[in-house]
Every structure is written in C-alpha cells, then in structure tokens.
C-alpha cells in the first residue's frame, strides 16, 4: 500500500484526479470504478475542469459505481444515480450509456447483483477503482461483519452508516436501510485501487490501514491483500486533528 499525504482536501482531490487522468490518458478505453459520498466530489470537480479544458477525454471510458441505496429510484435526489449525474456524468463527455450504477429499483435484487458482476467481467474488469471509506471501515457498503461477501449483493446498512449518511437526508428515518453494493472480491479484482480519506473523523480508520492487521471488523483492511493500492488522504485523516 502506498500512501500520499496531502496538505488538505483540495490537494487530495488534485492528486487523485491526476491519477485518474493518467489512467485514462494511458488507456482511453479504461473501465473506471466510481464512488459517491462527500470525499470524491472535489476530485470529480477537477476531472470536469480537465475534461472541459481538453486535458482528458472520457469518450471511450466505461464506469461502474460501487453501490446504490435499495429501494430507491434513480430520479430520487438522494440516489447515487442522481449524485453521479449531478457531480460527474452530465458535466463530462463520459458516454451516459457506458455508465453503470446498480439498479435501486430492481424487482429481483439478487439477479441484478449477479448481472452487475457479469457486466463488469464482460467489460474486461475494472482498471482503476476509486474508493472512499466509512468511519466504521466500510468500503462500498461492505459493512463490518464476521463474514464479508465476495460478489455484488444486497446488504443491510449498519446504524452508524445510517447515522453518518443522514447528513444528506432531511431526517435519519429517510435514509434507506439497505443497499446494493459491489462485494469485497468485486473490489479486489480491480487492477488498481485508490482509496481516499479526509478529515479527522477518518483518522482512526486510516490508522487501521497502516497496521499489518486484516480484519473483517474493518472491511477496508482487506485491501492489504491487493498489490496496487494507493491511499490518498489529507493530514487530518493521517495524523488526526491538527491545531
Ligand atoms: C459511496 C461508498 C461509501 C463511501 C463512504 C464514505 O459510494 O461506497 O463507502 O465512500 O461511506 O463516505 P463519505 O465520502 O461521504 O465520507
């Protein structure tokens, strides 16, 4: 695991965007794995700027998002479909038909999950996966548990995740309690992984990434198995609260 410690959120966003731009420049038909949440928004802004300035062309990329709330319709403004359109897809030349987000309205979620993994495989696998990290160590919505699940699946969100994500909703009761998420193996099959974290609230979990331990209680520690992971974080996430 390589670690890039940045001065602040702005720097972190720039560094991550640089790596995505390099990836797409070297392989224009890259398969990108994307995340939602507050962490990657700055990076998406940089990618939009670079795309507008002609510094990167996304016209040949394919994208697969990590997760979606269930049940939730794509046009709900809290859905991850909506988030991605708002923060990236509609503002770049990524072909909309080559973007994929699990269907939060699938009548048969198990089938949807199975097909999602098949689509990733058929596309040739993810070249570069972007991850955020939950305060409880989740990646995608792979929550701490005795057993983690390999493939894309329907999962129950933990109370701490519902609490953390309630900031995006009017009230906590509005946060869906389930989600469709890529599994740990779906994530680990990516050729390269960037995991981003900012702010003191992520310090404890980022510290867990720096130890030799792997535990399903902190799903992100599974990334230590992978040979090409870059942690890009700000000083607060790495060192804790700065004075
Ligand atoms: C979102 C996702 C989640 C977030 C995590 C951190 O697609 O997969 O694992 O990355 O909950 O969220 P933020 O960035 O809001 O702190």
């Amino acid at each position: 695991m390589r670690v890039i410690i940045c001065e602040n959120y702005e720097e972190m966003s720039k560094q991550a965007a640089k790596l995505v731009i390099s990836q797409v420049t070297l392989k224009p038909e890259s398969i990108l794995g994307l995340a939602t949440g507050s962490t990657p928004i700055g990076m998406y802004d940089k990618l939009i700027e670079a795309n507008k300035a002609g510094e990167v062309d996304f016209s040949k990329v394919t994208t697969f998002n990590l997760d979606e709330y269930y049940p939730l319709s794509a046009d709900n403004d809290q859905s991850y479909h909506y988030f991605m359109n708002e923060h990236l897809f509609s503002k770049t030349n990524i072909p909309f038909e080559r973007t994929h987000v699990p269907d939060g309205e699938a009548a048969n979620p198990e089938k949807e999950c199975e097909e999602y993994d098949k689509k990733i495989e058929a596309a040739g696998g993810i070249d570069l996966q972007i991850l955020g990290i939950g305060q409880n160590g989740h990646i995608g919505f792979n929550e701490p548990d005795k057993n983690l699940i390999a493939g894309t699946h329907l999962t129950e969100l933990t109370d701490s995740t519902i609490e953390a994500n309630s900031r995006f909703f009017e009230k906590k009761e509005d946060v869906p309690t389930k989600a469709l998420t890529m599994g740990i193996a779906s994530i680990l099959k990516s050729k390269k992984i960037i995991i981003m974290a900012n702010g003191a609230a992520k310090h404890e979990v980022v510290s867990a990434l720096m130890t030799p331990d792997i535990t399903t209680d902190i799903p992100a520690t599974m990334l230590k198995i992978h040979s090409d992971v870059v942690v890009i974080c700000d000083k607060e996430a790495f060192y804790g609260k700065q004075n």
Side-chain angles (χ1 to χ4, degrees):
M1 229 178 228
R2 279 166 295 147
V3 186
I4 301 176
I5 306 165
C6 305
E7 195 55 41
N8 50 34
Y9 181 77
E10 170 72 12
E11 262 322 294
M12 177 193 76
S13 304
K14 241 192 246 172
Q15 286 291 341
K18 248 204 243 171
L19 295 187
V20 175
I21 292 168
S22 303
Q23 170 68 40
V24 175
T25 305
L26 289 170
K27 185 178 178 189
E29 65 286 0
S30 286
I31 313 296
L32 301 178
L34 300 176
T36 58
S38 53
T39 310
I41 293 176
M43 177 193 75
Y44 291 148
D45 288 344
K46 305 278 171 217
L47 294 179
I48 293 164
E49 275 169 34
N51 188 227
K52 288 217 160 89
E55 290 157 15
V56 62
D57 176 16
F58 291 119
S59 65
K60 295 196 174 83
V61 305
T62 299
T63 68
F64 286 93
N65 262 80
L66 280 167
D67 42 18
E68 178 58 287
Y69 288 117
Y70 188 87
L72 201 62
S73 73
D75 56 11
N76 185 303
D77 61 5
Q78 295 304 336
S79 76
Y80 287 169
H81 279 82
Y82 193 95
F83 176 103
M84 289 309 300
N85 288 334
E86 195 63 16
H87 290 288
L88 189 70
F89 298 155
S90 67
K91 297 176 177 155
T92 60
N93 70 339
I94 298 177
F96 190 70
E97 62 283 5
R98 287 226 285 272
T99 65
H100 304 84
V101 182
D103 180 4
E105 288 184 291
N108 183 341
E110 284 74 25
K111 188 159 166 259
E112 165 67 13
C113 292
E114 208 177 292
E115 281 172 2
Y116 202 69
D117 281 335
K118 279 191 190 146
K119 273 186 220 160
I120 297 174
E121 220 177 295
I126 293 171
D127 291 301
L128 175 64
Q129 174 69 55
I130 305 292
L131 297 174
I133 185 168
Q135 286 176 40
N136 66 359
H138 72 213
I139 46 175
F141 277 131
N142 293 276
E143 298 280 35
D145 205 337
K146 199 150 66 77
N147 298 306
L148 297 178
I149 296 176
T152 301
H153 60 282
L154 178 66
T155 187
E156 299 266 343
L157 303 184
T158 61
D159 200 52
S160 75
T161 295
I162 292 172
E163 182 67 46
N165 289 5
S166 65
R167 69 191 194 277
F168 300 115
F169 292 80
E170 224 164 84
K171 48 185 190 313
K172 190 177 161 186
E173 292 67 44
D174 293 343
V175 185
T177 56
K178 292 183 184 168
L180 303 174
T181 180
M182 278 189 203
I184 290 292
S186 326
I187 294 171
L188 287 173
K189 279 182 196 162
S190 311
K191 297 176 186 84
K192 293 182 190 143
I193 299 175
I194 292 175
I195 179 157
M196 302 169 72
N198 67 286
K202 300 285 171 75
H203 173 59
E204 201 179 321
V205 74
V206 168
S207 302
L209 292 181
M210 303 303 136
T211 72
D213 302 346
I214 294 176
T215 166
T216 61
D217 289 337
I218 309 174
T221 61
M222 301 296 286
L223 297 173
K224 293 175 195 182
I225 294 167
H226 197 281
S227 61
D228 196 350
V229 177
V230 187
V231 182
I232 306 184
C233 59
D234 71 353
K235 280 185 164 175
E236 290 210 338
F238 193 82
Y239 296 112
K241 186 93 198 129
Q242 307 277 289
N243 294 318

